[in-house]
Amino acid sequence: MIMVMMALVSYPGSSSAEALKASGMTISYAVQPGDTLFSISKKYYLTGNYEQVAKANGLNSKTGLKAGAVLKLKNPLVMDYYEVQQGDTLFAITKRYFNRSNYMNVLMTYNGISDPNTELKIGMTLRIPLRSGEGRHHVVKGDTMYSLSARYFKAQDYQKAVAQTNGVGTASSLIQAGQQLQIPNPYYMVASSTAAVSAAVSAKLSIDIDITRNKLYVKSGETVKKTFDIASGKKPGLTPTGSFEIMTKIENPWYSAKGIPGGDPKNPLGSRWLGLSVPNTQGTKYGIHGTNAPSSIGTNASTGCIRMLNEDVEWLYDMVPNGTKVKIHK
C-alpha cells in the first residue's frame, strides 16, 4: 500500500539551483514482505539504482529491510500501481489520482505556501508544475490558488500521461479488469536530473557487448552510435552473458580486493566503474570499468569484467545513466 504526500519545497525567491534540488514529490512506501531496496527501486524508479533509496532513507545499502518499515521515495518515476476494476475508465482512474483540488495542494506545496489567503502576493513568481515541465506565473491582482489551479490544471493532460505510460489509448474499451496500470509522477521538471530523466535517457541508449570480437557498441534503437574496443574474460565463461542493466556508477573506484584507492595508478579498475545487475552481485562484482593496462584492450584478459580505456569509459560514464540496458553475448 502506498500513501502519497508532497515534499516541502523552497519559498519563491530562492535560487533556481536550490529550487531544482528541493522540488518534486515524495511518497511514503510501507515495506512489504520480500521487498528489497533493489526491487523497490526497480518498481518505482524503473532502474536498479537502489543506493538512491538507501541514501535518502539513511540506510546501509547492504542491509535487509523490515516489513512494515516506511521509506520515503523522492521523485519516483512511478507514483503508484493500480489494478483496474470492473467498469473503470481511464478518466475515472485519472480523476482518482489527479484532480483540481489535489493540483491546488501541489501548487501550494511546490511554492512553500501554507496559507493561500495571506501568502499569495501580487508580483511574486510562482513555479507551476505541469505535465509538460515546469512553468512560471507572475501573480497579478485577482489571482487565487483556485483560479491558478483552474488555469493550469488540464485533466486531459494527466489522462494522456496515464495512457501513454501504459501504452493504451484513451478509450475505456482498451483497459480491462485485472490489468495493472502504472500511475506516473507528472511533476518532473524537464531540466532536472532526476531518476525520471535518467530513465528517459536510458530508454534511448543501450549497450551491446560482443565478447567474441571484444567490441562494445552504444546504440540508439538499432542504430550504432559509437564503437569501442574492450577486453573481456581471459577464459570462456568468466564474463557473464545475458541481458543486464547498469545499476551502480562510481568515479575513481577503489579496488577493494587489494585495498588500492581510487585514482591510484596501480588501480586496475581505472577511473570509472559501471556495475552490472548480474543476479546476487548488487552491481559490485561485474562491471564495465577503466584500466591501468591499456595494452590489454582488444584481448581476453580480465577476470570477468569488461575493460575499456579510461578516456572511453569516462565518455560512456557521462553518456549513460543507471538503468541503461546492457546485452552481453558471444
Side-chain angles (χ1 to χ4, degrees):
M1 188 66 183
I2 201 161
M3 302 170 288
V4 178
M5 69 178 187
M6 299 309 299
L8 294 177
V9 299
S10 302
Y11 282 83
S14 62
S15 71
S16 58
E18 290 174 341
L20 274 171
K21 184 177 180 180
S23 65
M25 174 180 283
T26 296
I27 62 175
S28 295
Y29 176 75
V31 176
Q32 304 299 306
D35 275 344
T36 64
L37 288 169
F38 180 78
S39 68
I40 292 171
S41 183
K42 285 288 292 183
K43 190 171 183 179
Y44 289 98
Y45 293 95
L46 306 184
T47 171
N49 185 16
Y50 62 94
E51 291 181 338
Q52 64 182 333
V53 179
K55 184 178 180 180
N57 288 276
L59 300 174
N60 184 328
S61 62
K62 296 182 180 180
T63 59
L65 297 175
K66 184 178 180 181
V70 177
L71 301 181
K72 297 293 188 290
L73 305 180
K74 174 70 174 178
N75 282 331
L77 181 61
V78 178
M79 194 170 71
D80 200 359
Y81 287 80
Y82 178 78
E83 183 174 323
V84 177
Q85 305 299 307
Q86 193 68 39
D88 271 341
T89 65
L90 278 176
F91 177 81
I93 294 170
T94 302
K95 188 176 180 181
R96 177 188 181 99
Y97 289 93
F98 309 112
N99 57 56
R100 189 169 295 170
S101 176
N102 285 345
Y103 185 84
M104 189 169 83
N105 292 332
V106 169
L107 184 59
M108 290 173 58
T109 307
Y110 213 65
N111 289 276
I113 293 174
S114 57
D115 187 343
N117 297 314
T118 61
E119 297 177 26
L120 189 66
K121 306 291 186 181
I122 295 174
M124 75 189 319
T125 300
L126 297 181
R127 301 166 56 230
I128 308 296
L130 301 170
R131 186 220 178 274
S132 57
E134 186 180 88
R136 293 289 189 274
H137 178 85
H138 299 289
V139 178
V140 298
K141 186 177 180 179
D143 278 342
T144 65
M145 282 295 174
Y146 183 83
S147 71
L148 293 178
S149 66
R151 175 174 178 175
Y152 290 104
F153 176 80
K154 307 297 181 186
Q156 61 268 29
D157 290 341
Y158 296 91
Q159 184 177 346
K160 184 177 180 180
V162 175
Q164 289 179 337
T165 297
N166 293 279
V168 299
T170 56
S172 60
S173 60
L174 295 180
I175 60 174
Q176 299 177 351
Q179 181 180 355
Q180 189 177 69
L181 299 180
Q182 292 181 358
I183 307 301
N185 182 347
Y187 302 117
Y188 285 109
M189 293 172 296
V190 171
S192 69
S193 57
T194 62
V197 175
S198 294
V201 174
S202 66
K204 295 179 182 178
L205 294 180
S206 64
I207 296 172
D208 183 277
I209 299 173
D210 186 330
I211 58 175
T212 299
R213 298 182 178 182
N214 279 320
K215 296 286 187 181
L216 182 151
Y217 306 98
V218 179
K219 302 173 71 175
S220 176
E222 295 302 315
T223 303
V224 174
K225 294 295 186 181
K226 206 164 180 67
T227 303
F228 297 100
D229 292 322
I230 61 165
S232 57
K234 63 179 69 175
K235 295 180 180 179
L238 282 180
T239 298
T241 57
S243 297
F244 312 106
E245 64 180 48
I246 294 172
M247 64 181 297
T248 57
K249 293 177 65 177
I250 304 172
E251 294 187 24
N252 296 318
W254 277 60
Y255 184 52
S256 57
K258 294 187 177 181
I260 303 175
D264 190 306
K266 297 179 182 178
N267 192 319
L269 300 181
S271 59
R272 298 290 186 273
W273 170 271
L274 295 92
L276 299 175
S277 61
V278 177
N280 303 313
T281 67
Q282 302 298 315
T284 61
K285 184 175 182 179
Y286 297 100
I288 303 169
H289 62 78
T291 184
N292 65 343
S295 62
S296 68
I297 300 302
T299 70
N300 298 99
S302 80
T303 57
C305 288
I306 303 299
R307 293 183 189 175
M308 301 180 71
L309 294 174
N310 284 331
E311 56 266 33
D312 292 345
V313 77
E314 288 171 13
W315 180 93
L316 187 68
Y317 185 98
D318 291 339
M319 289 299 295
V320 297
N322 281 315
T324 299
K325 304 299 181 183
V326 179
K327 182 178 181 181
I328 304 178
H329 58 91
K330 296 179 181 179

